[in-house]
Amino acid sequence: MPRSDMEHRALLRQAPKAPLRRLWEYARVHWRMLVLGGVLTFLGGTTGLVQPLMAKYVIDALGEGTAIAGPITALLAVVLAGAVIGALGAFVLERTGQSVVLGVRRNLVGRLVRLRVGELDRLKPGDLVSRLTADTTLLRSVATSGITNLFTSAVLLVGAVVIMGFLSPLLLLITLGMIVVVGVLMGVILPRIGRATQAAQASLGEMGSLLERIFGAFRTVKSSSAERAEIERLDVAAVESWRKGVSVAGWTALSGTLASLTVNASFLVVLGVGGGMVAAGTMDVSTLIAFLLLLFYLMEPIVTLVQSATELQTGLAAVRRIDEVADLDQENPEGNRAEPDSERPAELSLTDVTFRYHPDLPLVHHGVSFEASGAGLTALVGPSGSGKTTVFSLVERFYDTTTGSVRLDGTDVRDWPLEALRSQIGYVEQDAPVLDGTLRANLTMAAPRATEAEVREVVRTARLTDLVERLPDGLESAIGHRGVTISGGERQRVAIARALLRRPRLLLMDEATSQLDAANEGALKAVMLEAARTTNVIVVAHRLSTVTSADRIVVMETGTVRAVGTHAELVEGDDLYRDLAAGQLITPESPDTPEGVGARS
């Protein structure tokens, strides 16, 4: 990893700091290029200080009747040199600004992807995207040209003041009064620009969140004829963003106008006072012209200082929003235990597990305990809301238990390195998400080193052969955003194949057959049972027909385990399971119902 990335990561792991200090630390990684760009910018600016003095010499030469070719040539050379050096400095600083943004974005991406699931559940993805894109973009010029311009403009301002004092102390006092007025005005305006910018960025993030919400349920929005309502909702957010942006623009325009107005007013005063001094014979015309040229030149560093200070407030607002992401709870892939070499089926146990998603929310689990050790098929069944899927979230450490323990191979999952823990587990989610990309990329996402033979075998096992043959480029075919070009059942089979390709020691399947037809359900049931011969397979099932042959069935109700046993044992001994089975025609509803009904279903 490049040194700059490592330093940025270290910065983001530190405790929150003042935004100005944090901004400088982002830029400090590139201090060599900043110094180079600053020196070039400073040299380009100093040529502006020289030009009024050289103009004075040209005027004096004209008055004395001496040759002016030399002074004019020198003045032209200074002007050209200043333009070239200034342009080169601007390029160096702009390139450095892009590098600053790259470093910050790399680290934000790492932070965002490693966020805890619980953090993402409570946040708005669109706003997080805005922080990665819009907020980091604001840092580009602020962290480079903004910082260097503050320094160089301040130095050039001091240099101009010194030269003005040499030309006329009286006129200098008038100029200093103007500088003080500008400083006071900026002290009042700049904090307002910072607050307005932060509000504008927040409203932009809100608009992104609303748009992400629409795209996440695009077909639902259209099928519900809800386009008008969603457009109105987006329009309200857009108008709010516009209002905040106008506020920023207003304060920024006011700062620039007041600075220019103050400089122009001082020019008129200097012209009047200086003209009187020339008329009285106490000042040469060339000196007055040189002073006025310096005053005009002084406008540039003053305006630059104002702009840099304005940009700085914008950058500080962006830094605050970026640091809010840096402060979010992040998963740590490190741990205390090395990855095991064993390929034997995993041993899983839950002991007195209680869990709630948030301290203000009620408990989901109330002392859940069961074991699923070695090869075999374990099914979690029960009414909706009984906490079945949450068990999988605790095993994968998407969340940590409130009390109690979840153990894999006898070790609490919190003591496993996350990457090592999850490398043992294959997980098939209920909605079987498929990522934008090729079919092969989706299959090998969890097993990037899988061989072609292994991929082909898992395609056959998951009954995806027809899909591969139908797609124009086979495994290399793009399947669209969220797998939009394939059916729901095919997406589910892709998710199952992806999990199987990993050759997990523990396979978790959450309603893996919910979108499959009867034929494919039977085929996947065979796959599931085949995997259970060598792997610890745990399934969450509402269709009991898929798990009647399970080695053990765990019946859950309202966050507790009420019974554990085989299908036959539970039909005999647990009322809830018997009712669930009867409702699905798996067993007779009453002793009078003929046997075999469940088999025919």
Side-chain angles (χ1 to χ4, degrees):
M1 179 181 297
R3 179 174 179 269
S4 60
D5 288 352
M6 293 178 66
E7 292 188 19
H8 274 306
R9 290 185 187 278
L11 290 176
L12 286 174
R13 284 196 298 266
Q14 293 174 1
K17 296 182 179 179
L20 185 59
R21 183 178 177 185
R22 176 74 80 187
L23 178 62
W24 165 238
E25 288 180 336
Y26 289 147
R28 189 178 60 187
V29 176
H30 309 276
W31 68 270
R32 291 180 179 85
M33 297 303 294
L34 280 175
V35 170
L36 176 60
V39 168
L40 291 174
T41 303
F42 177 73
L43 291 177
T46 55
T47 60
L49 286 176
V50 176
Q51 291 171 26
L53 295 179
M54 298 189 71
K56 180 180 184 301
Y57 295 144
V58 171
I59 295 172
D60 288 339
L62 288 172
E64 296 170 0
T66 58
I68 63 171
I72 289 180
T73 301
L75 179 59
L76 179 61
V78 169
V79 170
L80 291 176
V84 172
I85 294 173
L88 184 58
F91 170 75
V92 171
L93 290 175
E94 182 64 22
R95 184 181 183 279
T96 306
Q98 295 289 352
S99 298
V100 171
V101 172
L102 174 62
V104 175
R105 282 178 176 168
R106 279 177 170 172
N107 286 281
L108 271 183
V109 166
R111 301 286 302 187
L112 290 172
V113 174
R114 289 199 178 277
L115 281 179
R116 284 192 170 274
V117 173
E119 292 281 36
L120 192 60
D121 286 346
R122 69 178 182 83
L123 296 171
K124 298 177 180 179
D127 184 54
L128 294 178
V129 172
S130 175
R131 294 171 195 247
L132 178 64
T133 55
D135 289 326
T136 54
T137 299
L138 291 178
L139 293 179
R140 186 180 65 245
S141 59
V142 181
T144 54
S145 58
I147 293 176
T148 56
N149 285 343
L150 277 173
F151 173 75
T152 56
S153 296
V155 173
L156 293 176
L157 182 62
V158 172
V161 168
V162 171
I163 296 175
M164 284 179 168
F166 173 76
L167 294 175
S168 173
L170 177 59
L171 297 182
L172 172 63
L173 289 175
I174 298 173
T175 305
L176 289 177
M178 173 268 296
I179 294 175
V180 171
V181 171
V182 171
V184 171
L185 292 174
M186 291 305 102
V188 174
I189 294 175
L190 290 180
R192 290 172 169 78
I193 292 177
R195 290 192 292 270
T197 299
Q198 191 166 0
Q201 291 300 108
S203 61
L204 186 63
E206 177 64 20
M207 190 165 61
S209 297
L210 289 174
L211 193 59
E212 189 272 339
R213 169 179 175 269
I214 294 171
F215 288 152
F218 206 50
R219 287 172 174 76
T220 301
V221 170
K222 288 187 172 296
S223 64
S224 303
S225 300
E227 292 98 334
R228 185 185 301 276
E230 295 300 328
I231 290 172
E232 290 176 354
R233 192 190 302 268
L234 264 175
D235 185 67
V236 170
V239 170
E240 182 65 19
S241 180
W242 172 81
R243 287 174 178 166
K244 303 298 184 182
V246 168
S247 178
V248 174
W251 285 112
T252 302
L254 180 61
S255 65
T257 300
L258 289 177
S260 299
L261 184 62
T262 306
V263 172
N264 288 329
S266 66
F267 172 80
L268 294 176
V269 176
V270 167
L271 180 62
V273 175
M277 294 173 67
V278 170
T282 58
M283 176 181 286
D284 296 333
V285 173
S286 61
T287 301
L288 177 59
I289 293 175
F291 195 98
L292 291 174
L293 288 175
L294 276 171
L295 188 57
F296 269 120
Y297 170 80
L298 197 64
M299 179 180 290
E300 181 178 351
I302 288 178
V303 171
T304 301
L305 275 173
V306 172
Q307 290 176 343
S308 297
T310 302
E311 289 180 348
L312 185 62
Q313 291 299 319
T314 301
L316 294 181
V319 167
R320 292 186 186 98
R321 283 173 51 82
I322 291 171
D323 273 4
E324 286 174 4
V325 175
D327 292 338
L328 294 177
D329 194 11
Q330 183 187 25
E331 289 183 340
N332 179 13
E334 305 298 329
N336 303 321
R337 185 173 182 216
E339 182 176 349
D341 297 327
S342 174
E343 295 184 0
R344 62 180 173 78
E347 298 180 357
L348 179 70
S349 65
L350 281 73
T351 306
D352 295 327
V353 169
T354 66
F355 172 74
R356 53 165 48 96
Y357 283 98
H358 189 273
D360 296 333
L361 296 176
L363 285 171
V364 177
H365 287 162
H366 303 265
V368 171
S369 299
F370 70 86
E371 293 184 1
S373 300
L377 177 62
T378 300
L380 305 182
V381 303
S384 297
S386 57
K388 302 183 297 296
T389 297
T390 303
V391 169
F392 287 179
S393 295
L394 297 178
V395 174
E396 285 274 10
R397 276 205 69 198
F398 297 151
Y399 302 92
D400 287 331
T401 61
T402 302
T403 62
S405 65
V406 178
R407 296 179 178 273
L408 186 72
D409 294 342
T411 300
D412 196 304
V413 293
R414 288 170 291 192
D415 294 330
W416 279 78
L418 274 178
E419 291 184 3
L421 171 69
R422 291 172 182 169
S423 69
Q424 316 298 308
I425 304 171
Y427 183 32
V428 182
E429 297 178 62
Q430 184 172 359
D431 56 356
V434 176
L435 281 66
D436 187 20
T438 66
L439 177 58
R440 180 187 296 276
N442 272 278
L443 292 175
T444 60
M445 182 171 64
R449 297 177 182 174
T451 65
E452 183 68 19
E454 290 171 336
V455 172
R456 293 291 176 180
E457 175 61 22
V458 81
V459 165
R460 183 195 62 79
T461 302
R463 306 301 194 270
L464 290 170
T465 304
D466 290 343
L467 172 63
V468 173
E469 292 175 351
R470 188 181 78 244
L471 293 174
D473 297 317
L475 287 169
E476 310 306 326
S477 299
I479 54 179
H481 178 61
R482 299 188 179 183
V484 68
T485 61
I486 60 179
S487 70
E490 288 167 339
R491 286 196 296 271
Q492 206 150 26
R493 279 178 280 158
V494 168
I496 292 170
R498 180 168 57 210
L500 292 174
L501 188 59
R502 198 174 196 181
R503 298 186 179 279
R505 300 174 57 229
L506 173 63
L507 179 59
L508 307 178
M509 304 178 72
D510 190 357
E511 284 298 320
T513 62
S514 62
Q515 298 187 54
L516 301 182
D517 55 32
N520 280 310
E521 179 185 344
L524 262 297
K525 180 179 178 181
V527 171
M528 187 168 58
L529 294 175
E530 178 67 25
R533 294 181 181 178
T534 57
T535 305
N536 187 354
V537 180
I538 305 178
V539 299
V540 168
H542 285 105
R543 291 186 185 178
L544 299 187
S545 59
T546 61
V547 297
T548 53
S549 56
D551 297 284
R552 69 188 64 83
I553 299 174
V554 179
V555 183
M556 298 187 66
E557 183 182 27
T558 61
T560 62
V561 174
R562 58 174 287 152
V564 178
T566 64
H567 171 70
E569 291 170 348
L570 292 172
V571 168
E572 181 68 26
D574 186 75
D575 294 339
L576 175 61
Y577 185 82
R578 185 184 307 112
D579 291 342
L580 292 173
Q584 298 182 32
L585 303 180
I586 303 300
T587 63
E589 289 191 17
S590 68
D592 298 330
T593 305
E595 290 185 1
V597 173
R600 290 194 299 272
S601 67

